[in-house]
Coordinates of all heavy atoms in Angstrom, one line a residue:
C13 N 5.5 3.0 -6.2 CA 6.8 2.3 -6.2 C 6.9 1.3 -5.1 O 7.4 0.2 -5.4 CB 7.9 3.4 -6.0 SG 8.1 4.5 -7.4
A14 N 6.5 1.6 -3.9 CA 6.6 0.6 -2.8 C 5.8 -0.6 -3.1 O 6.2 -1.8 -2.9 CB 6.1 1.3 -1.5
A15 N 4.6 -0.5 -3.8 CA 3.8 -1.6 -4.1 C 4.5 -2.5 -5.1 O 4.5 -3.8 -5.0 CB 2.4 -1.2 -4.6
V16 N 5.1 -1.9 -6.1 CA 5.8 -2.6 -7.2 C 6.9 -3.5 -6.6 O 7.1 -4.6 -6.8 CB 6.3 -1.7 -8.3 CG1 7.3 -2.5 -9.2 CG2 5.2 -1.1 -9.1
F17 N 7.8 -2.8 -5.7 CA 8.9 -3.5 -5.2 C 8.5 -4.5 -4.2 O 9.3 -5.5 -4.0 CB 9.9 -2.4 -4.6 CG 10.4 -1.5 -5.6 CD1 10.5 -0.1 -5.3 CD2 10.9 -2.0 -6.8 CE1 11.0 0.7 -6.3 CE2 11.4 -1.1 -7.7 CZ 11.5 0.3 -7.5
S18 N 7.4 -4.3 -3.5 CA 6.9 -5.4 -2.6 C 6.6 -6.6 -3.3 O 6.9 -7.7 -2.9 CB 5.7 -4.9 -1.8 OG 5.2 -5.9 -1.0
S19 N 6.0 -6.5 -4.5 CA 5.7 -7.7 -5.3 C 7.0 -8.3 -5.8 O 7.1 -9.5 -6.0 CB 4.8 -7.3 -6.5 OG 5.5 -6.5 -7.4
L20 N 8.0 -7.5 -6.1 CA 9.3 -8.1 -6.6 C 9.9 -8.9 -5.5 O 10.5 -10.0 -5.8 CB 10.3 -6.9 -7.0 CG 9.9 -6.1 -8.3 CD1 11.0 -5.1 -8.5 CD2 9.8 -7.0 -9.5
R21 N 9.9 -8.5 -4.3 CA 10.5 -9.3 -3.2 C 9.8 -10.6 -3.0 O 10.4 -11.6 -2.6 CB 10.4 -8.5 -1.9 CG 11.3 -7.3 -1.8 CD 11.5 -6.9 -0.3 NE 12.4 -5.8 -0.2 CZ 11.9 -4.5 -0.1 NH1 10.6 -4.3 -0.1 NH2 12.8 -3.5 0.1
R22 N 8.6 -10.7 -3.4 CA 7.9 -12.0 -3.2 C 8.2 -13.0 -4.3 O 8.0 -14.2 -4.2 CB 6.3 -11.8 -3.3 CG 5.8 -11.1 -2.0 CD 4.3 -11.2 -1.9 NE 3.6 -10.5 -3.0 CZ 3.2 -9.3 -3.0 NH1 3.5 -8.5 -1.9 NH2 2.6 -8.7 -4.0
R23 N 8.9 -12.5 -5.4 CA 9.3 -13.4 -6.4 C 10.7 -14.0 -6.1 O 11.7 -13.4 -6.4 CB 9.4 -12.7 -7.8 CG 8.0 -12.2 -8.2 CD 8.2 -11.4 -9.5 NE 8.8 -12.2 -10.6 CZ 9.2 -11.7 -11.7 NH1 9.1 -10.5 -12.0 NH2 9.8 -12.5 -12.6
K24 N 10.7 -15.1 -5.4 CA 12.0 -15.7 -4.9 C 12.5 -16.7 -6.0 O 11.8 -17.5 -6.5 CB 11.8 -16.4 -3.6 CG 11.4 -15.4 -2.5 CD 11.3 -16.2 -1.2 CE 10.9 -15.3 0.0 NZ 10.8 -16.0 1.3
S25 N 13.8 -16.6 -6.2 CA 14.4 -17.5 -7.1 C 15.2 -18.5 -6.3 O 15.8 -18.2 -5.3 CB 15.5 -16.7 -8.0 OG 16.4 -17.6 -8.5
P26 N 15.1 -19.8 -6.7 CA 15.8 -20.8 -5.9 C 17.3 -20.7 -6.0 O 18.0 -21.2 -5.1 CB 15.4 -22.1 -6.6 CG 14.9 -21.7 -8.0 CD 14.4 -20.3 -7.8
L27 N 17.8 -19.9 -7.0 CA 19.2 -19.7 -7.1 C 19.7 -18.5 -6.3 O 20.7 -18.5 -5.6 CB 19.6 -19.5 -8.5 CG 21.0 -19.1 -8.8 CD1 22.0 -20.2 -8.4 CD2 21.2 -18.8 -10.3
L28 N 18.9 -17.4 -6.3 CA 19.4 -16.2 -5.7 C 18.9 -15.9 -4.3 O 19.5 -15.2 -3.6 CB 18.9 -15.0 -6.6 CG 19.3 -15.1 -8.1 CD1 18.7 -13.9 -8.9 CD2 20.8 -15.1 -8.2
G29 N 17.8 -16.5 -3.9 CA 17.3 -16.3 -2.5 C 16.8 -14.9 -2.3 O 16.4 -14.2 -3.2
A30 N 16.7 -14.5 -1.1 CA 16.2 -13.2 -0.7 C 17.3 -12.3 -0.1 O 18.1 -12.8 0.7 CB 15.1 -13.3 0.3
F31 N 17.4 -11.1 -0.5 CA 18.4 -10.1 -0.1 C 17.7 -8.8 0.3 O 16.6 -8.5 -0.1 CB 19.4 -9.9 -1.2 CG 20.1 -11.1 -1.6 CD1 19.7 -11.8 -2.8 CD2 21.2 -11.6 -1.0 CE1 20.3 -12.9 -3.2 CE2 21.8 -12.8 -1.4 CZ 21.4 -13.4 -2.5
Y32 N 18.4 -8.1 1.2 CA 17.9 -6.8 1.7 C 19.0 -5.7 1.6 O 20.1 -6.0 1.7 CB 17.5 -7.0 3.2 CG 16.5 -8.1 3.4 CD1 16.9 -9.4 3.6 CD2 15.1 -7.8 3.3 CE1 15.9 -10.4 3.8 CE2 14.2 -8.8 3.4 CZ 14.6 -10.1 3.7 OH 13.7 -11.1 3.9
T33 N 18.5 -4.5 1.4 CA 19.4 -3.4 1.4 C 19.8 -3.0 2.8 O 18.9 -2.9 3.7 CB 18.7 -2.2 0.7 OG1 18.2 -2.5 -0.6 CG2 19.7 -1.0 0.5
P34 N 21.0 -2.8 3.1 CA 21.4 -2.4 4.4 C 20.6 -1.1 4.8 O 20.6 -0.1 4.1 CB 22.9 -2.1 4.3 CG 23.4 -2.9 3.1 CD 22.2 -3.0 2.2
S35 N 20.0 -1.2 6.0 CA 19.1 -0.1 6.4 C 19.9 1.2 6.7 O 19.3 2.3 6.7 CB 18.4 -0.5 7.7 OG 19.3 -0.9 8.7
D36 N 21.2 1.2 7.0 CA 21.9 2.4 7.3 C 22.5 3.1 6.1 O 23.2 4.1 6.3 CB 23.1 2.0 8.3 CG 24.0 1.0 7.6 OD1 23.6 0.3 6.7 OD2 25.2 0.9 8.1
L37 N 22.2 2.6 4.9 CA 22.6 3.3 3.7 C 21.6 4.2 3.1 O 20.4 3.8 2.9 CB 23.0 2.3 2.6 CG 24.3 1.4 2.9 CD1 24.6 0.5 1.7 CD2 25.5 2.3 3.1

C-alpha cells in the first residue's frame, strides 16, 4: 500500500498541487 500511495503522490496535477494528511489525525 505504501508503495502505491508513494507513486500517487508523485503524480502532481498543475491544478490541484500537492496536499498532505494532517499528521495528528
Side-chain angles (χ1 to χ4, degrees):
C13 290
V16 170
F17 296 134
S18 177
S19 67
L20 291 181
R21 284 199 183 97
R22 289 195 295 270
R23 294 178 59 190
K24 294 182 179 180
S25 163
L27 174 63
L28 303 178
F31 301 96
Y32 303 89
T33 307
S35 58
D36 58 340
L37 289 182

